[in-house]
Amino acid sequence: MSMTEANGSILTPDRDWWRGAVIYQIYPRSYQDSNDDGIGDLAGITRRLPYVASLGVDAIWISPFFTSPMRDYGYDVSNYRDVDPIFGTLADFDALIAEAHRLGLRVMIDLVISHTSDQHPWFAESRSSRFNKRADWYVWADAKPDGSPPNNWLSIFGGSAWQWDPTRLQYYMHNFLTSQPDLNLHNPEVQEELLAVERFWLERGVDGFRLDTINFYFHDQLLRDNPALAPERRNANTAPAVNPYNYQEHLYDKNRPENLAFLKRFRAVMNEFPAIAAVGEVGDSQRGLEIVGEYTSGGDKMHMCYAFEFLAPDPLTPKRVAEVMHDFERAAPEGWACWAFSNHDVTRHVSRWGQHVADKDAFAKGLASLLMALRGSVCIYQGEELALPEAEIAFEDLRDPYGIQFWPDYKGRDGCRTPMVWEKDAVNGGFGEGRPWLPVSPEHLPRAVDRQETDMRSVLHHYRRFLAFRAEHPVFAKGEIEFLGVEAPMLAFVRAYGNEKIVCVFNMSGEPHAAPVPADLGTIEPLSGHGFDSYLSDGSIVLPAWSGFFARLL
């Protein structure tokens, strides 16, 4: 029995709960500060769980809260089996799990196992000599005869992926910061230890994992150079355009076939527990969907994965949505996707795609409904339900090393990580009394939760309405999808599951539009409860700007 199984949980075991689930991502530093030190914490999350449950989501994903020197704000772990004191204690985590389960929320945690912090005891031992018991736990290599790095691999955070260590007189590999050395998963002992970490948190009661940088776990043992990437194939899905990381085809520093066997081992541990699921982050600009297909095929690896197609800067158009969904179906016919428009690593989508949109609320509502109507599971990022725009952060307030490295051409990730705004007129928007680790955006305050709660036409209430609408129709969680041939700016598709078929039509523009009902659909019955003022009139579907229309096919 798990530590929370007897604590009043209303959850019932369901191994398929993840298929079509809506998952709410919480970035703990910025959600709720319970002790006024300026940093959000686990007790703060627990305090706000009734709000999360009121949205109607199925689960939460909590970004890393493990012990860390915070060079990359928790994505550099120095102890996988404890909570960093700034976030609280293991007892606080147990209380969070119990409260989430009482409210009917499942809890997924963010496991970062491609690399650790350089402050992790494993790395301290590994770098101490070439002959200790953990000497091969990280990726070490000799210099070339001229002293230069072993090959041309690049770090996502800029520069070489190799850092010289004066004690071992060798280079170690780091796909990210120099303070984030890569683990050597070719070593069986490393795999065993990581599987033990997985089991530790499963026994503590978690319902699943988000696996950070899942396609970075293995490297080419021959350390072959990556080939150059033709300019026309470069894009900024995985790294910003100013980063030379985009100049290589990353064949050898990630995406290695050896990962499939490890993912099967990881899945086997999850299968020892009831109703566990994992979603993997696939960071690759050329083969992202193909890798998602590999990692989610066969029912013996990941339950679901996401790539960066909808997290990229590319404008979201009807054509783009249909292309991504068709590409996924071709690349992953057995797989399952988890779609997101925003997260803690990218510019918030209201700003990324809606810079020139006049009615930001209508835009946010339309995109939210589109996201939740697509085939796949869904991740919603905290504050998205308030239509928060990207915050402007002055250089002197920056915390993200990525942004500091490439400023001002790339401003980093701090703009999407600012504190959640709960009360417009409270100190720091209700986040906490202490000075926040990142400034609260004045532009966010009018969109605070307390202001939107009192306005039934707010974006927040639209999210609640549409999540309830989605829950009423299992076709959205489980059904197939077939796109219809309609002209832009319209997007239309049919979701089908069992005996139910629902046609979904979206106006992806800032002007009202009417479109004839496709002749081959037959009789349709408009559905209500989704929050839009669209309607059927004389054989045409009439949609306001950025709205949707939903009807049952009879």
Side-chain angles (χ1 to χ4, degrees), residues 221-431:
Q221 289 183 291
L222 299 178
L223 304 183
R224 287 171 284 188
D225 282 348
N226 284 326
L229 192 64
E232 63 272 15
R233 294 184 61 205
R234 297 173 191 163
N235 63 51
N237 286 8
T238 307
V242 297
N243 191 341
Y245 188 84
N246 298 310
Y247 286 46
Q248 291 185 357
E249 185 164 12
H250 294 274
L251 298 181
Y252 299 117
D253 51 349
K254 61 181 182 181
N255 306 333
R256 303 303 300 159
E258 297 93 330
N259 203 18
L260 296 174
F262 175 73
L263 295 181
K264 290 179 181 179
R265 298 191 68 197
F266 195 96
R267 175 67 175 265
V269 174
M270 288 191 287
N271 289 345
E272 297 174 16
F273 297 78
I276 305 300
V279 54
E281 176 200 31
V282 174
D284 191 82
S285 295
Q286 281 71 50
R287 294 184 55 231
L289 292 179
E290 178 185 339
I291 295 165
V292 169
E294 293 175 356
Y295 289 8
T296 59
S297 65
D300 59 354
K301 296 177 282 295
M302 291 296 96
H303 300 79
M304 50 190 169
C305 285
Y306 70 88
F308 281 72
E309 275 65 23
F310 289 143
L311 294 168
D314 310 64
L316 194 72
T317 63
K319 180 181 178 183
R320 174 70 174 158
V321 173
E323 284 178 347
V324 169
M325 299 302 289
H326 286 312
D327 288 346
F328 177 80
E329 288 299 320
R330 284 193 294 270
E334 299 179 359
W336 193 259
C338 186
W339 304 113
F341 288 169
S342 287
N343 69 15
H344 64 293
D345 280 334
V346 299
T347 301
R348 288 184 176 274
H349 69 264
V350 169
S351 297
R352 190 169 77 247
W353 293 327
Q355 184 177 1
H356 302 296
V357 172
D359 190 342
K360 294 292 196 295
D361 281 6
F363 182 67
K365 292 175 184 179
L367 292 192
S369 302
L370 170 60
L371 174 65
M372 290 186 275
L374 294 174
R375 183 174 188 267
S377 301
V378 175
C379 278
I380 295 171
Y381 179 50
Q382 65 181 54
E384 176 182 331
E385 75 278 15
L386 306 177
L388 297 185
E390 186 81 351
E392 287 294 326
I393 307 293
F395 180 77
E396 57 269 23
D397 292 326
L398 281 187
R399 297 297 191 93
D400 181 16
Y402 206 175
I404 294 170
Q405 170 77 8
F406 288 104
W407 179 275
D409 301 290
Y410 171 65
K411 296 182 179 180
R413 302 164 294 177
D414 288 333
C416 66
R417 297 178 174 183
T418 57
M420 184 76 169
V421 284
W422 299 99
E423 302 169 60
K424 177 182 180 296
D425 297 322
V427 175
N428 299 317
F431 171 69

Side-chain angles (χ1 to χ4, degrees), residues 71-84:
R71 303 279 176 79
D72 193 23
Y73 297 99
Y75 286 89
D76 49 332
V77 178
S78 57
N79 184 349
Y80 284 107
R81 290 179 171 85
D82 205 355
V83 174
D84 193 282

Side-chain angles (χ1 to χ4, degrees), residues 48-191:
R48 296 297 186 179
L49 285 177
Y51 164 80
V52 178
S54 78
L55 297 175
V57 299
D58 301 290
I60 59 173
W61 146 28
I62 309 175
S63 290
F65 51 81
F66 314 108
T67 310
S68 167
M70 300 296 165
R71 303 279 176 79
D72 193 23
Y73 297 99
Y75 286 89
D76 49 332
V77 178
S78 57
N79 184 349
Y80 284 107
R81 290 179 171 85
D82 205 355
V83 174
D84 193 282
I86 66 170
F87 295 131
T89 64
L90 282 170
D92 291 327
F93 181 76
D94 294 339
L96 187 158
I97 287 272
E99 176 66 359
H101 287 177
R102 186 187 70 80
L103 292 167
L105 294 168
R106 302 183 193 270
V107 178
M108 306 178 81
I109 65 171
D110 207 329
L111 272 190
V112 188
I113 57 176
S114 68
H115 54 268
T116 72
S117 164
D118 62 357
Q119 302 302 306
H120 199 295
W122 300 345
F123 188 68
E125 184 172 2
S126 186
R127 78 190 314 178
S128 67
S129 74
R130 299 191 186 192
F131 307 105
N132 63 80
K133 67 178 183 180
R134 291 193 172 93
D136 193 37
W137 276 41
Y138 293 81
V139 183
W140 295 96
D142 292 328
K144 289 182 177 178
D146 63 0
S148 60
N151 58 31
N152 70 346
W153 297 351
L154 297 173
S155 163
I156 280 192
F157 285 172
S160 172
W162 297 96
Q163 178 69 20
W164 180 252
D165 184 82
T167 300
R168 283 186 56 141
L169 298 180
Q170 284 183 305
Y171 283 95
Y172 66 84
M173 180 185 173
H174 61 93
N175 272 302
F176 300 93
L177 295 175
T178 58
S179 58
Q180 293 171 301
D182 273 65
L183 284 163
N184 178 20
L185 271 80
H186 290 287
N187 185 326
E189 293 180 352
V190 172
Q191 290 193 30

Side-chain angles (χ1 to χ4, degrees), residues 1-31:
M1 178 178 292
S2 77
M3 300 179 68
T4 60
E5 194 171 339
N7 288 346
S9 171
I10 66 171
L11 294 171
T12 55
D14 176 7
R15 286 194 176 272
D16 203 39
W17 69 264
W18 53 272
R19 192 180 295 273
V22 178
I23 304 163
Y24 185 85
Q25 181 193 356
I26 294 175
Y27 192 73
R29 294 183 71 88
S30 299
Y31 205 59

